[in-house]
Amino acid sequence: MTKNTKILNIIYGLTVIFFLLDSLIIFEIKSQNIKSFVYFGFLIQTPLILIWNFIFIEVKTKKIIGAIFPMIMIAFILVVGQTKIVFSTGAWQTQTILYQNKYLSFKTVEFQMQNVGALGYNQRTVEVFYLTPFFMITKNVLTDIDKKTEWVKVDKNINELGLKY
């Protein structure tokens, strides 16, 4: 296997990992640019990697192994549907920070909206744990969050706070 083939397969593998983490687990990509790159990269790279591995891998057993993973991902794309994947590329944007954790500054309860194009906006209120400015872990908010002592009510619009989440 050539060095270029290994590099391309590693980039493809990372793209698939980020796509699966974002779409199937509570881990989410906050940055719209990164999320679009990952989702569209997943859709475009899958058939290209399949073709690349068929053409540039010489050993027959490695060629088959290099084709199995992209073929599974093509089946996944066909089952889920390309349009559903494209419509889920919108990142959630924080509109209002409702509560701030007393002990952890990177843990908040937020009202967020997601642009779904001509279909309007999705809305949610979630507890957010920021891993970096680009990645976060979300959890549904409990109904009695205002009674918990570790939360301080902020209720400020994101623009009023001057924060860039």
Side-chain angles (χ1 to χ4, degrees):
M1 196 182 293
T2 66
K3 185 177 180 179
N4 290 338
T5 303
K6 286 181 183 178
I7 292 170
L8 289 174
N9 278 294
I10 288 170
I11 291 170
Y12 174 65
L14 290 173
T15 303
V16 170
I17 288 169
F18 277 118
F19 172 80
L20 292 175
L21 283 174
D22 185 68
S23 60
L24 301 176
I25 305 177
I26 58 174
F27 174 88
E28 292 186 26
I29 300 172
K30 179 75 173 166
S31 169
Q32 181 63 55
N33 293 334
I34 295 173
K35 189 166 184 171
S36 294
F37 177 80
V38 167
Y39 276 61
F40 287 114
F42 173 69
L43 288 174
I44 294 167
Q45 287 176 4
T46 300
L48 293 178
I49 286 293
L50 179 63
I51 293 167
W52 181 274
N53 287 344
F54 266 130
I55 293 172
F56 293 106
I57 297 178
E58 292 86 24
V59 181
K60 190 168 187 144
T61 55
K62 287 185 179 180
K63 187 179 284 201
I64 292 170
I65 292 170
I68 289 174
F69 189 65
M71 288 174 70
I72 292 170
M73 291 299 111
I74 286 176
F76 176 79
I77 291 169
L78 293 174
V79 168
V80 172
Q82 297 103 334
T83 54
K84 187 168 184 171
I85 293 172
V86 168
F87 281 127
S88 59
T89 59
W92 288 94
Q93 299 298 319
T94 301
Q95 302 299 313
T96 306
I97 298 176
L98 302 172
Y99 294 94
Q100 179 77 41
N101 191 290
K102 280 184 189 178
Y103 312 111
L104 303 171
S105 63
F106 46 85
K107 193 172 180 184
T108 59
V109 173
E110 301 176 355
F111 171 70
Q112 299 179 339
M113 295 179 77
Q114 179 187 43
N115 187 354
V116 286
L119 302 175
Y121 289 90
N122 291 329
Q123 300 177 359
R124 70 180 185 178
T125 301
V126 289
E127 183 179 322
V128 179
F129 181 82
Y130 283 97
L131 301 171
T132 70
F134 306 113
F135 304 105
M136 62 186 176
I137 295 175
T138 59
K139 184 169 90 172
N140 288 336
V141 175
L142 302 171
T143 54
D144 62 344
I145 194 146
D146 54 340
K147 295 176 183 151
K148 299 210 178 221
T149 58
E150 73 257 20
W151 295 104
V152 177
K153 189 166 181 69
V154 177
D155 203 16
K156 295 274 183 173
N157 187 302
I158 195 73
N159 296 328
E160 294 173 17
L161 294 173
L163 300 173
K164 296 200 180 220
Y165 278 96

